[in-house]
Amino acid sequence: MTRAAVAQLLRTSTSIRLVVLILLGLSLIGWIFIEAGAVTTREHLRYARDLREIRQIDAELNTATIARRLDPDADAGWQEVDSRVERIQTLIRELRHTPTFLTGAETMQVLTQIERYAELHDRKRTLIDTLRHALEAGANQDARLADTRAGNGKAAALEHRQRLDATARELLGLFTARQGELVVETYTVGYEAATARMQTHRVLLLLVALSLGMYLLLTAFRLRKATLAVTQANADLGDKVAALRHAEGELRRYATVFTNSSEGMLITDAQARIIAINPAFSRITGYGVDDVIGRSPSILNSGRQDAGFYRRMWTTINSRGQWQGEIWNRRRNGSIYPEWLSITAVRGEDGELANYIGIFSDITERKEAEARILHLAHHDPLTNLPNRALLHDRLQQVLLQARRNKRGVAVLLLDLDRFKTINDTLGHESGDGLLLQITERCRSAIRDTDTLARLSGDEFVAVLPEAGNPQDAAAAARKILDAVALPCQLGEHRITVTASIGIALYDQDGGNVSMLLRNADAAMHRAKEAGRNGFEFYSAEMNTSSLGQLLLENQLRGATDRGELLLHYQPKACARTGRLLGLEALLRWQHPELGMVAPGRFIPLAEETGLINTIGDWVLAEACRQQRAWLDAGLEVVPIAVNLSAQQLAQQHFVSHVAHAIDAAALAPSLIELELTETMLMRDIDRTIHTLIRLREMGVRLSIDDFGTGYSSLNYLRQFPVNALKIDRSFVSDISAEGTEGKIAAAIIGMAHSLELEAIAEGVETEAQRSFLTAQGCHQLQGYLIGRPVPAAEIETRLSIARPASGEPR
């Protein structure tokens, strides 16, 4: 075998070993990756859930069985026992399917504990059947012994009860609960071991990843070193070529015209590298010979022209041999300047490209003069704002973009009120100073993306591309009006001016520039006719809509004094008897123009503006006053519930306010009930508990409204001194005619019973809901089925007949 063949064989063998090692490494990484994710959260949660459920149902089975022992006549109770027995058997079968991440030994340990649990459960099921048969036999025996002598009957009954008690004690003595804990402990040990194995594999996977990363980093470093060596070699070779060409063209570079020209000149080689410049080049650009020789003219690039511009320029040079035009370049100090540039390609005797010659002149002064002329043509000379011509152009661009993006645009036309009087009395110089101050205020009141322009005189236009709905436009107009209305200092005079604004919206009020400006002008004149210092929308419908939110606040401030607020009362009835047990006071606003305003519209506004405290005090006082009026009329009154806001509860003297309202009406505190939401109670728990305790000590009833929709802690719920829980209407609406739903409502009722609280269901609208809630033990019902909210006069009829029947509990 030749030496070459041996070398080839060695290389092949090395390649095979390398491939095998790579495959083994990939297999190892894959195995570690699989093992690192072996423990799945879904399997663990499923198994843990089944373990919790079987222990819970086992406890419920004991309770249900003892309940049957105590109440053997309840036939439906054995169905509950059977369902739990069947569920435990199902869970045992499911628990035998252990999670896959357990090892064989761990799985065998868990299954062993499960089988012991299954044996105990089978024994418990046998005892339950024995107890059931004994109870049934006892019932039949009682019937047979009814005809026998009393003495024999009592002895037999005593013996029967002793057998039942023995069976019950044996049933309760089974350690199924302890065995369930052993199953949980055994599984927990296996799960923790699996988790530890998974963490170990993850650490291994991290170490493998770090090793690969270090290897790749080392490879990249070697490649970078080789690249630098090649680059340096290329640079050295380029220097040698440049030196040769420099010697050949030395005579042509130093011509007199080149040296003494007032225009900047540069000569490059065929690769567009600078080989010579004249003094004018240095004077214009600031670069010296040493700075640019051997470099590309791209060092002057300002970035204002894109790659396409230079591509077209060089295409023209290569095809025609010459190019000239205007270009923006950058001086050495970083300033950008315009220049007129001419580039010519120079070819040698053989026709090959030898050089490029560039000649340029600085045209900064000419461009500045053109820019000043253009600026004056499109801007107002006093305020430097866009004039009518530039406004039309910008607004047209905004409309095109809004049409493309399907968005709205607001055009606000502002005119100063009585500006002519200031010009006539203080002079035009003061008027100009006022216009400058108004301009700065309007600029600060709008966003940077908005356009502010001066049409003429004291007329300004603001284009708001991001305020396409009436609410945003109205808010911007109000902000501008507030800024304009601030006092202005004109010399020794302090002047206050106002403005009128007309608003037109694209495309409701116009689809082009002229129509929007015209409609905004019409709306502005309507604002002046309405009394000035305000704004109007061109569309009457939108004007009414936008004013709704902004003016509603001012109207709400005086609603109490004008007697526009009133209370409606909704009944709360006993679930069993239907007797009236209470009323809930619900706030209404009878607006003189808008009619009855929904609470959902003005209550949030009152909370946002801080009016809720004043309105809340009025509601409490009015409820107390009405209760006093009914008492004076000799009616059978019931407690009135008043809803509280979070701001009221947070008041420092809230308890004294409640006491004052009750004392002013000379009422018993038990006739007033305060409703609070879970969210309110959880804001400042310690302070809230202290406040509620003081209210309860006064004798005021307390209830948690909308229970189940907040985030209260059951631990704190025991500490809150409340009287009742009100089930939120969303849980009542889940109750179907067949009674298959309503589990949450039933759970809340059960919780209220365990905490010795009343359960009140609101939103009751069907007989099915009434029946279900009554069967679950709900105390009070409230909703349209019981009665709708009505004025006080309509409640009086129910109060007059709300006397308890003979023997009926109060």
Side-chain angles (χ1 to χ4, degrees):
M1 182 179 293
T2 63
R3 182 178 298 178
V6 172
Q8 179 65 30
L9 181 60
L10 291 175
R11 287 195 295 269
T12 303
S13 177
T14 302
S15 300
I16 293 174
R17 287 198 299 270
L18 179 61
V19 171
V20 172
L21 289 175
I22 291 175
L23 292 177
L24 289 176
L26 292 176
S27 300
L28 176 62
I29 293 174
W31 177 78
I32 295 175
F33 181 81
I34 292 173
E35 290 299 318
V39 178
T40 59
T41 304
R42 177 175 297 179
E43 278 191 294
H44 170 64
L45 292 180
R46 189 270 302 174
Y47 207 79
R49 184 192 64 235
D50 291 344
L51 289 175
R52 288 195 303 271
E53 185 177 357
I54 197 170
R55 295 173 63 194
Q56 178 180 355
I57 294 179
D58 183 73
E60 293 175 354
L61 176 60
N62 290 341
T63 303
T65 303
I66 297 306
R68 301 289 70 74
R69 165 67 183 91
L70 299 177
D71 187 12
D73 296 331
D75 296 333
W78 289 111
Q79 298 177 0
E80 183 179 0
V81 172
D82 293 339
S83 65
R84 284 169 169 76
V85 170
E86 293 175 0
R87 181 55 183 165
I88 290 176
Q89 291 175 342
T90 301
L91 289 173
I92 290 174
R93 289 194 296 272
E94 293 177 356
L95 289 174
R96 288 187 176 118
H97 300 288
T98 59
T100 58
F101 53 77
L102 298 178
T103 63
E106 294 167 349
T107 301
M108 184 59 64
Q109 292 175 359
V110 173
L111 291 177
T112 299
Q113 298 298 333
I114 292 175
E115 293 306 325
R116 292 176 183 173
Y117 184 91
E119 293 174 1
L120 292 175
H121 176 68
D122 290 337
R123 176 57 183 164
K124 178 178 287 189
R125 185 174 57 179
T126 301
L127 290 175
I128 290 174
D129 292 337
T130 301
L131 182 63
R132 181 191 301 186
H133 295 324
L135 288 173
E136 292 176 353
N140 295 332
Q141 184 178 6
D142 292 340
R144 289 193 305 268
L145 293 178
D147 299 329
T148 63
R149 288 177 301 174
N152 294 335
K154 290 181 180 179
L158 178 60
E159 181 182 357
H160 177 68
R161 283 194 297 272
Q162 290 175 349
R163 288 197 301 273
L164 291 177
D165 293 337
T167 303
R169 285 193 299 272
E170 182 179 358
L171 189 148
L172 293 177
L174 292 176
F175 295 100
T176 54
R178 175 54 186 165
Q179 185 59 35
E181 294 177 357
L182 290 176
V183 174
V184 173
E185 292 173 359
T186 304
Y187 168 72
T188 302
V189 171
Y191 171 72
E192 291 175 350
T195 303
R197 290 194 297 274
M198 181 183 69
Q199 293 297 334
T200 301
H201 289 105
R202 287 183 176 177
V203 172
L204 290 175
L205 185 62
L206 177 61
L207 293 176
V208 171
L210 290 175
S211 300
L212 290 176
M214 293 297 294
Y215 175 77
L216 292 176
L217 184 62
L218 180 60
T219 303
F221 176 78
R222 292 175 177 174
L223 181 61
R224 175 62 178 171
K225 185 176 180 180
T227 302
L228 291 176
V230 173
T231 302
Q232 184 62 39
N234 289 335
D236 295 340
L237 181 60
D239 292 340
K240 295 177 181 179
V241 174
L244 292 175
R245 292 183 178 177
H246 177 73
E248 295 173 354
E250 185 175 4
L251 294 177
R252 294 191 298 270
R253 290 199 299 268
Y254 292 102
T256 304
V257 176
F258 178 82
T259 305
N260 298 323
S261 175
S262 61
E263 294 180 327
M265 293 185 184
L266 74 159
I267 300 175
T268 71
D269 56 19
Q271 285 73 38
R273 289 192 294 265
I274 300 175
I275 59 177
I277 61 171
N278 70 342
F281 179 96
S282 299
R283 185 177 64 253
I284 295 174
T285 66
Y287 287 100
V289 175
D290 296 335
D291 299 322
V292 298
I293 295 300
R295 303 181 66 181
S296 170
S298 61
I299 63 173
L300 303 174
N301 190 352
S302 66
R304 289 197 177 186
Q305 286 84 22
D306 56 14
F309 172 85
Y310 291 102
R311 188 166 51 251
R312 291 188 297 272
M313 181 184 74
W314 285 107
T315 300
T316 302
I317 295 172
N318 293 330
S319 61
R320 300 181 182 179
Q322 187 178 14
W323 177 91
Q324 62 179 358
E326 183 177 310
I327 191 172
W328 289 85
N329 274 341
R330 188 186 302 275
R331 294 185 175 91
R332 185 179 184 181
N333 61 10
S335 62
I336 297 175
Y337 68 100
E339 67 178 31
W340 184 261
L341 174 63
S342 175
I343 301 177
T344 303
V346 178
R347 298 184 180 275
E349 296 178 354
D350 56 356
E352 293 296 325
L353 182 64
N355 304 95
Y356 292 104
I357 299 177
I359 303 174
F360 62 91
S361 58
D362 187 355
I363 58 173
T364 301
E365 293 182 0
R366 190 184 76 185
K367 296 293 291 185
E368 289 176 351
E370 293 175 356
R372 284 194 296 271
I373 295 173
L374 183 62
H375 183 83
L376 291 174
H378 293 89
H379 289 79
D380 173 59
L382 174 64
T383 62
N384 204 31
L385 293 175
N387 59 12
R388 185 182 297 271
L390 184 55
L391 171 66
H392 275 254
D393 180 72
R394 289 190 179 179
L395 183 53
Q396 181 64 35
Q397 297 301 320
V398 169
L399 295 182
L400 290 175
Q401 186 176 5
R403 187 178 298 114
R404 182 168 54 253
N405 298 332
K406 296 182 180 179
R407 298 173 59 183
V409 178
V411 177
L412 280 62
L413 194 148
L414 177 146
D415 185 87
L416 297 180
D417 299 329
R418 301 182 178 91
F419 178 74
K420 185 176 181 299
T421 304
I422 297 176
N423 268 343
D424 294 342
T425 55
L426 301 180
H428 289 274
E429 183 178 356
S430 296
D432 291 344
L434 175 63
L435 291 176
L436 290 174
Q437 295 186 44
I438 295 300
T439 298
E440 293 303 318
R441 293 180 181 182
C442 291
R443 279 176 172 168
S444 62
I446 63 177
R447 290 168 290 199
D448 295 336
T449 56
D450 301 333
T451 296
L452 179 66
R454 182 189 180 196
L455 289 185
S456 62
D458 59 339
E459 278 191 345
F460 297 84
V461 171
V463 179
L464 313 180
E466 298 180 9
N469 59 69
Q471 290 77 18
D472 292 342
R478 175 59 61 188
K479 188 175 181 181
I480 293 174
L481 289 176
D482 293 341
V484 171
L486 296 175
C488 299
Q489 191 69 38
L490 302 178
E492 60 183 7
H493 302 285
R494 191 174 178 84
I495 303 298
T496 300
V497 296
T498 59
S500 300
I501 298 179
I503 304 175
L505 300 178
Y506 170 85
D507 55 352
Q508 298 94 314
D509 302 330
N512 54 55
V513 174
S514 60
M515 185 176 295
L516 287 172
L517 292 175
R518 183 171 62 252
N519 292 340
D521 183 74
M524 181 272 294
H525 284 90
R526 191 159 64 238
K528 284 187 175 293
E529 294 172 358
R532 297 183 174 88
N533 193 24
F535 63 91
E536 290 282 342
F537 284 86
Y538 176 75
S539 170
E541 293 79 7
M542 275 188 289
N543 188 31
T544 301
S545 174
S546 66
L547 286 176
Q549 283 300 106
L550 292 176
L551 299 183
L552 209 59
E553 175 186 347
N554 292 329
Q555 297 171 350
L556 184 59
R557 291 184 184 277
T560 304
D561 298 334
R562 295 191 299 270
E564 296 173 3
L565 298 181
L566 65 153
L567 294 181
H568 284 190
Y569 300 87
Q570 187 173 24
K572 295 188 291 186
C574 176
R576 292 187 302 102
T577 64
R579 182 170 61 89
L580 182 66
L581 295 181
L583 299 171
E584 181 177 1
L586 301 173
L587 182 61
R588 298 291 186 266
W589 183 10
Q590 184 64 48
H591 195 281
E593 298 175 1
L594 303 178
M596 191 69 74
V597 181
R601 185 177 178 188
F602 70 89
I603 292 296
L605 180 62
E607 292 179 342
E608 180 180 346
T609 57
L611 294 174
I612 193 65
N613 290 331
T614 303
I615 294 177
D617 292 343
W618 179 88
V619 171
L620 180 61
E622 176 61 18
C624 294
R625 185 204 63 78
Q626 184 60 64
Q627 191 77 290
R628 180 73 262 168
W630 284 334
L631 284 171
D632 294 340
L635 299 178
E636 185 85 9
V637 297
V638 292
I640 296 179
V642 177
N643 292 282
L644 295 182
S645 71
Q647 296 182 32
Q648 286 181 271
L649 188 63
Q651 286 181 308
Q652 183 177 1
H653 303 293
F654 172 71
V655 176
S656 61
H657 289 173
V658 175
H660 175 74
I662 294 175
D663 294 340
L667 292 178
S670 59
L671 293 178
I672 295 298
E673 180 177 356
L674 301 180
E675 294 189 359
L676 313 93
T677 64
E678 297 176 74
T679 306
M680 293 166 51
L681 295 174
M682 297 301 296
R683 288 190 175 180
D684 187 351
I685 295 176
D686 294 336
R687 187 176 183 276
T688 299
I689 292 176
H690 178 70
T691 301
L692 297 184
I693 290 175
R694 293 177 60 192
L695 291 171
R696 279 294 301 272
E697 290 174 352
M698 287 172 50
V700 176
R701 289 176 52 82
L702 302 172
S703 62
I704 301 180
D705 196 13
D706 300 333
F707 187 81
T709 60
Y711 51 89
S712 63
S713 168
L714 298 181
N715 182 41
Y716 283 113
L717 184 60
R718 295 185 304 168
Q719 302 181 40
F720 293 139
V722 297
N723 302 93
L725 302 179
K726 291 193 71 174
I727 306 171
D728 186 75
R729 63 180 64 249
S730 61
F731 304 133
V732 175
S733 63
D734 289 342
I735 302 173
S736 63
E738 294 78 16
T740 56
E741 302 295 335
K743 295 181 180 179
I744 297 180
I748 295 176
I749 294 173
M751 184 187 303
H753 288 170
S754 64
L755 295 175
E756 298 182 355
L757 301 176
E758 292 184 31
I760 306 173
E762 57 183 357
V764 180
E765 298 182 358
T766 65
E767 287 293 340
Q769 295 170 353
R770 185 213 295 264
S771 300
F772 178 89
L773 293 168
T774 303
Q776 295 296 324
C778 187
H779 300 91
Q780 297 184 34
L781 305 179
Q782 180 182 356
Y784 285 177
L785 184 66
I786 309 304
R788 293 176 176 269
V790 294
E794 298 184 31
I795 286 290
E796 293 178 2
T797 304
R798 268 189 98 159
L799 290 176
S800 63
I801 62 174
R803 302 181 184 278
S806 177
E808 182 177 347
R810 292 279 301 178

